[in-house]
Amino acid sequence: MRVLILGGYGVFGGRLVRLLQDVSVLDLIICGRSLARAQAFCAAHRGAARVEPLVLDRADIAETCRTRKPDLVVDASGPFQEYGADPYRVIEACIAAGVDYLDFADGADFVAGVSRFDEEARAAGVAILSGVSSFPVLTAAVLRKVAADMEIRTVEGGVAPSPHAGIGLNVMRAVAGCAGGPVRLLRGGRPVEARGLTESRRFTVAVPGYLPLRNLRFSLVDVPDLQVLPPEHPAMTDIWMGAGPVPDALHRVLNLLARARARFGLPAFTPFAPLFHAVLNRLRFGEHRGGMVVSVRGRLGGRDVVRSWHLLAEGDDGPLIPSMAIEALIRKRLRGERPAPGARSAVRALELEDYEASFARRAIVFGFRDDTGGGSLYRGILGPALDTLPTPVSAFHEGSGSRRWTGSAGVRRGTGLVARLLCATIGFPDTARNAPVTVIVSPEHGGERWTRTIGEKTFASVQSAGTGRDRYLLVERFGVVAVAIALVRDGKRLVFVTRRWSILGIPMPRSLLPTGETFETEIDGRFAFDVTIRAPLVGLIVAYRGTLEPAVACPTDRARPVHGP
């Protein structure tokens, strides 16, 4: 199979070649305006797929289709918003030559306009699919899965790329052109025009049971989803999609420029794209992780429900996701599954299951959440991941009423002055080899009060579900100190990972964040805990580990309120 890739040595084209490098029956023609860059890319290629460099301008695509006779043309160049007065030149050439066509188009108007060629494409027996990328193919697949048992009313979400991923110049041109420019979307059941990057929302990408991304600000972008998804779901009244680039400082600069353009009627900032591109690709700091989130509100069985879908990608695997839709379609075609003739958006090109094989080969995970509310505290944070933990652990956290567990534990305390003062203030237990333990969990103000008695010492904390920037985190309060904790499933262990902390509601420096490995698991059929609390400059404060079993609660235990020290 011969595939001609426009922009083949660019960001998205190059990643597509990388994803297909194991397919020996592919001949990939790597096209672009620079023969030297195409040759250098092919020389560096390693894989079973054959590659061939070719210098090609888009204006010459018709002649190239006649002479090279590719089976498929992939347009990975862009920016599609700037294709000028004749934006569909490549599509027209492919229809005339009888060649199938796929593109990475991220421009909403470009993708929506492709349907004008549907009749011609059908007559020519050619499949023309536009917008074959995460937006809208992956988003649409997620919504179809959600819509299987609920009526979708509102949709919001976005993508958060890793700051280390790197961004192509053409992508930066598209972002700069979008800033302050018109964006058509559905709001309150009516089509309206907003302005790109002038409005923002915050999301936390949190696959159940995995370490979430930090809460990020997303700003409105012009993507095909805004126009091609509402017709797929007739009850939809609102849709909003954003991007969450970091560093946040540059993101806010783009927001200010977008508002200035919208307010004063300034021209597009596209000429400044090279500057933005250079700055963004040099300011690479923070976690090398990215993600995507789609939140849906709707109706199920006569009641309002809220569900969300989350995706996390580690390291260099995240940037590959936009190219995986075309990868999947090419692999399906090699299995004899060719898209039906016609010209349309790629909104129905793939299902979520089609992505799973590509995700499985990479450090990419995803999962659904029910955000409607109800259920236990830990159920709300862990979602379906709670069911994958050992039975004693899930049983301990599944209850919603008062419950008492008893057992034993060994304790170590820090010996430094500050450690001893902290232990005395909070009531942490004394050093012991095998001390009796009682843990009472009781509902309190929408959360849970945990009262622990180890040996002769009793100390208490209040746990609750985080909100705002602590969304999908467990917040535990010891008096004036609050610690936001991620609940992470690690095999048969539930690991507690500290993410943020504050005193009297004032955020404290991360460099002083209390740490230490803390987890729950199962030992010999019993609930087991292992808690270690350390602090920078202080060292060990306290560590205790042991096992618990549910105690038979008496009526007086359930009725008597529990108070900490």
Side-chain angles (χ1 to χ4, degrees), residues 181-237:
V183 176
R184 290 187 291 167
L185 69 160
L186 194 66
R187 186 170 286 168
R190 300 175 58 188
V192 300
E193 186 176 276
R195 294 286 172 169
L197 301 183
T198 62
E199 53 188 68
S200 302
R201 303 178 183 183
R202 300 197 73 94
F203 299 102
T204 298
V205 180
V207 177
Y210 289 84
L211 186 68
L213 294 184
R214 300 193 184 278
N215 182 264
L216 295 173
R217 195 165 51 87
F218 291 69
S219 293
L220 176 68
V221 289
D222 186 24
V223 291
D225 309 54
L226 302 177
Q227 295 189 35
V228 301
L229 291 181
E232 299 289 310
H233 305 278
M236 187 185 298
T237 61

Side-chain angles (χ1 to χ4, degrees), residues 313-336:
E314 304 292 342
D316 293 326
D317 288 339
L320 298 173
I321 296 175
S323 301
M324 287 181 174
I326 291 182
E327 175 209 4
L329 286 176
I330 290 176
R331 290 183 184 273
K332 292 184 71 167
R333 176 163 175 160
L334 291 172
R335 298 194 298 266

